[in-house]
Amino acid sequence: MTRNDSPPRTAVVMMVSGAVYLAVEVASAALMPENPDPLWLPAGLGLALMLLWGRRIWPSLAAASAVFALLPHPWGLGASLWPGLALSLIGVGEAALATTLISRKRGFDPDLSTLFDVRIFVLWGMLIPPLMAALAGSGLLVLSGLIEPSGFGLSAWAWYAGDVLGIACGAPIVMTSGSWRLPSREGRASHAEAVLAVLGFTALSVYIFFVGKVPISGSFPYPVYPFVVWVALRMGPPVVSLLTPILAAIAVAATRAGAGPFTDGEAFTRIGRAQTFVVILALTGMTLAAAVRERASVSAERAWLADVTDRSLNEIYVFDPSTLRFEYFNAGARANTGYTPEKIREMTPIDIKPEFDERSFRALIAPLLEGSTRQLRFETIHLRADGTTYPVEVYLQLVDRGGRPVFVALINDISQRRQTEVALAEYRDHLEGLVDERTEELQQANEELEVSNEELHSLYEDTAEAAEELARLNREVEEASRAKSDFLANMSHELRTPLNSIIGFSDILLHGLAGPLTKEQARQVAMINDSGKHLLDLINDVLDLSKIEAERMEPVFEVCDLSAVTRQVVESVEPQAHEKGLYLEWSGLDCQTPVLTDATMVRQIVLNLLSNALKFTQRGGIRVGLTLEEGWCRISVSDTGPGIADADRRRIFESFTQLPAANGGRPDGTGLGLSISARLAGLLGGRIELTNAAERGSTFTVVLPTQ
């Protein structure tokens, strides 16, 4: 209804509307000091602003009206506080009531471009709300003691007439401001013509009311009426809305001055007749302008629809039910059939539908004539002027044309659809053939799959038997391994007891505790002692490996100083390194390094790594380092030996694996040191890393968690 779908900001709208409303109130009061004002333009302005910007602006209008009510005369009403506020609320309430009543009428547009808009505006905007406001305002004036009770009727009529005239003059100008676009110059008025019309109307009104004194007589008393009718018919609502306030201002001013055609009677009567004259003229202009614009819109819509119908690619025919001759055909019909317009006018639907004769066609359309159906739809073929045919889909209806029935036929060329249907049928047949072939292939595949399933089932049974056999063998292997570990553990214990005795007694003999030995005897006893110790080391390694494999070795985690443990091991092998002429260096062993681990296992791992380094290093030396890195402790043992080939990197951690010595001979030991060390590191939650450079030495690093 309103144009406030995308309004400016609310604060700006309220400030501007309030300021404009107050300015118009003050100007109206100053120019026409009578009370009530015979031409109260704020009534029309308030209604127009609310229709355009919504009822949300009523607080700003109420505030402006309150200020006006309290201003001294002639700039305001000069009323006291409470009556002034009440009068201001009544004035703004009139506009709010009119806006509410109009907003309930769906389809209303403030541009007053249709008779519906004019009717709603006049009834619910001009007539009813001003009447209610006049009654309420006059009653308030009586209660406030501003007028006598006997003056209630006169006050109410003057208030009502002034508001009606103000709405008729002020509201349309603002409401039609968005449509102040005159039609084009092609047969319509130009902007210059509109300006000349307004100036001419002003001059005519001044002459009638101030100079000529044209009397009221006859059924068409005033020359301004034909002028307004001409403007309404030619220029529309925007220009007509300008004429009404011009005429109202001139008529009221002349009547107040005792000039013009309304000079008989008292002042109240003269002003009332002038007001009635202007309101009637305003209603005439608005009604005629809306009717002309509505008719022009309908005519344009019909012209557009006729053009669309004629340009449609579908064939459209209109033919008489009795003669069956075509009365109308569009460009699509002429283009599709190839007949000339003169030829088509002589034809009937039977001439272009070879599948029908007159009897069968009339039987077809009989249900439409009888009223048993409202529409027929069927498919047939049309005959072109060149003798070719094409399939069509026909929609046929019986409609009224100027008081007589005619048939309207809408024809769709379905040639492409038929071609598509044929192609789809061929494709469907081809697809069915492919489905049959694939079905046959699938059946063959299913048969082969059944054979394969049987073979797989047989293979599965064989595999299951093999798996059971493998499980049995694994159990036997585990039992054999456990028995081996038990045997090795027991045998190692049985062997260590006599070996310890041999080593002990040989030590006694070597130290001369049992008496002096000859040089040869001492050499032989030393050989017995070394061989016993070597054999004891081998037995200890085998015993450790068997314990690990039998899961009998479990670490005992305690907090220990890993630096001290490592330093003790390094100091224990230092004499052997000096004996071979090798240097032995360490770093990071001077500070305390508390770690939660098994100190015995760590000691054995480091000792194994140092023993291997001493065994394979002939020149240079050995470096031992300890570092901490983000929750991990790293103990590295680096040597300057021959290094380890890439092919042997993984193999050296296997049990009983030994690499050749630097001189090509077989080194001492069992090949269990690295294997045991790696397994012990795993029990401690760590690992052993190897960094190797062939012929340049190796670095073994024990990585252990600190917690």
Side-chain angles (χ1 to χ4, degrees), residues 33 159 193 214 266 278 307 315 330 352 358 413 523 534 552 558 565 654:
W159 186 315
E193 187 177 0
V214 178
E266 297 180 0
V278 176
D307 183 66
E315 302 175 33
N330 68 341
I352 60 175
E358 183 174 356
D413 186 348
R523 187 180 68 81
H534 179 65
R552 295 180 180 178
E558 295 178 346
V565 173
E654 297 176 358

Side-chain angles (χ1 to χ4, degrees), residues 644-662:
I644 299 173
D646 291 340
D648 298 327
R649 288 173 63 89
R650 182 174 298 178
R651 192 168 62 90
I652 60 173
F653 290 100
E654 297 176 358
S655 301
F656 304 105
T657 298
Q658 286 185 303
L659 300 181

Side-chain angles (χ1 to χ4, degrees), residues 481-531:
S481 177
R482 190 176 299 108
K484 177 213 52 170
S485 297
D486 293 340
F487 171 76
L488 289 175
N490 294 330
M491 288 303 297
S492 296
H493 178 73
E494 296 297 331
L495 289 173
R496 283 199 301 180
T497 300
L499 278 175
N500 285 326
S501 299
I502 293 172
I503 294 171
F505 286 119
S506 62
D507 283 336
I508 293 173
L509 292 174
L510 283 174
H511 289 86
L513 299 179
L517 299 176
T518 64
K519 184 177 182 179
E520 179 61 26
Q521 288 174 337
R523 187 180 68 81
Q524 294 293 336
V525 171
M527 291 176 61
I528 293 172
N529 186 271
D530 291 340
S531 297

Side-chain angles (χ1 to χ4, degrees), residues 537-690:
D537 290 339
L538 296 179
I539 291 173
N540 286 335
D541 288 344
V542 172
L543 182 59
D544 289 341
L545 180 63
S546 64
K547 285 182 178 180
I548 294 173
E549 290 180 345
E551 298 180 355
R552 295 180 180 178
M553 181 175 288
E554 295 182 358
V556 178
F557 289 97
E558 295 178 346
V559 177
C560 63
D561 185 357
L562 204 59
S563 298
V565 173
T566 306
R567 188 167 59 251
Q568 290 173 3
V569 178
V570 172
E571 290 174 350
S572 68
V573 300
E574 190 172 12
Q576 301 177 37
H578 292 165
E579 185 178 349
K580 292 187 67 173
L582 303 176
Y583 63 82
L584 180 59
E585 300 176 349
W586 67 80
S587 61
L589 304 182
D590 297 329
C591 300
Q592 288 187 353
T593 309
V595 176
L596 182 64
T597 188
D598 189 320
T600 302
M601 289 187 178
V602 174
R603 188 179 291 109
Q604 185 173 352
I605 293 171
V606 176
L607 181 60
N608 288 341
L609 296 180
L610 283 172
S611 299
N612 283 344
L614 288 170
K615 186 188 304 182
F616 289 96
T617 302
Q618 305 301 325
R619 293 186 301 275
I622 301 169
R623 290 185 176 86
V624 180
L626 188 148
T627 58
L628 292 175
E629 297 179 0
E630 298 180 355
W632 295 90
C633 179
R634 303 174 65 87
I635 304 174
S636 60
V637 178
S638 303
D639 61 53
T640 58
I644 299 173
D646 291 340
D648 298 327
R649 288 173 63 89
R650 182 174 298 178
R651 192 168 62 90
I652 60 173
F653 290 100
E654 297 176 358
S655 301
F656 304 105
T657 298
Q658 286 185 303
L659 300 181
N663 55 12
R666 178 181 178 84
D668 296 336
T670 60
L672 294 174
L674 284 177
S675 175
I676 292 174
S677 298
R679 298 191 184 194
L680 291 177
L683 291 175
L684 297 176
R687 63 187 181 278
I688 295 181
E689 299 176 350
L690 170 60

